[in-house]
Each structure stands twice: as C-alpha cells, then as structure tokens.
Amino acid sequence: MADVGDGDQAAVSEPLDLVRLSINEVVFVKLRGDRELNGRLHAYDSHCNLVLGEVEETVYLVEDDDDDEDETMKTIKKQSEMLFVRGQILPHETPYRGIY
C-alpha cells in the first residue's frame, strides 16, 4: 500500500495523486448501497482499497409503512476505530473539505 510522508506534496498529475495527497486527512467516502464513511485516510493501493481510521459510517434505510403510502428514511450511524474498504464498492471519493 502506498504511504507518504508530510514533506511529499507534489502536483496532481494522475488520478491517484489526489488520494496520495489526502493521506492523514479526514475524507468522505460514498459507498454503494446508500452508505457513507467519514474517516482519516491511513493507506491506499492502486485498486483504491482504503484503510481508514476513526471512522463514522452512516447507513440510510428507506422503510415502507404498511398502513399508508409513506416511506420513512432511517439513519444508522456506527463508529469504528479502523476499517478496510475494498475499492470495488467505491463509486466516489473526495477530501472532506472538497467538492461533492
């Protein structure tokens, strides 16, 4: 997995350079299945597998009410000390303070 020090701040010339520059930063990761992660990026590889620390996972569930036609949005939040995220479930990643 790629890991860089604080002094390595080269320009962005390839797509994974943005990820490299986000090492040790808090990132927002949108996953498939209405799930989102906020956490500190510790490591990544060329497949966009990520290692995140201090992670807050948010899961959005839509529940149908049998009595009426309304749908209810339920939000579940989970905390994890460390999490491995497989790159195949990443449709989008951006620095937390960046563009959505």
Side-chain angles (χ1 to χ4, degrees):
M1 296 205 146
D3 200 357
V4 294
D6 294 334
D8 189 14
Q9 294 293 321
V12 176
S13 63
E14 296 180 13
L16 286 178
D17 287 344
L18 179 61
V19 179
R20 179 181 48 83
L21 294 173
S22 297
I23 291 286
N24 293 323
E25 298 289 331
V26 175
V27 294
F28 170 80
V29 182
K30 185 164 179 63
L31 305 175
R32 295 180 187 167
D34 298 324
R35 295 172 50 204
E36 299 172 348
L37 302 173
N38 281 318
R40 188 165 305 278
L41 180 63
H42 288 283
Y44 71 96
D45 66 11
S46 62
H47 302 285
C48 273
N49 295 318
L50 306 174
V51 177
L52 300 174
E54 306 162 20
V55 183
E56 179 181 77
E57 177 181 4
T58 306
V59 180
Y60 299 99
L61 299 173
V62 177
E63 296 179 343
D64 292 330
D65 292 336
D66 292 336
D67 298 339
D68 51 27
E69 305 281 326
D70 294 335
E71 293 181 342
T72 305
M73 176 70 81
K74 185 177 180 182
T75 303
I76 300 171
K77 294 200 179 243
K78 303 176 187 176
Q79 300 287 330
S80 298
E81 189 175 323
M82 192 69 66
L83 192 64
F84 176 83
V85 182
R86 194 171 161 152
Q88 290 182 333
I89 64 171
L90 295 175
H92 180 73
E93 179 186 321
T94 183
Y96 186 70
R97 63 186 182 281
I99 302 169
Y100 289 85

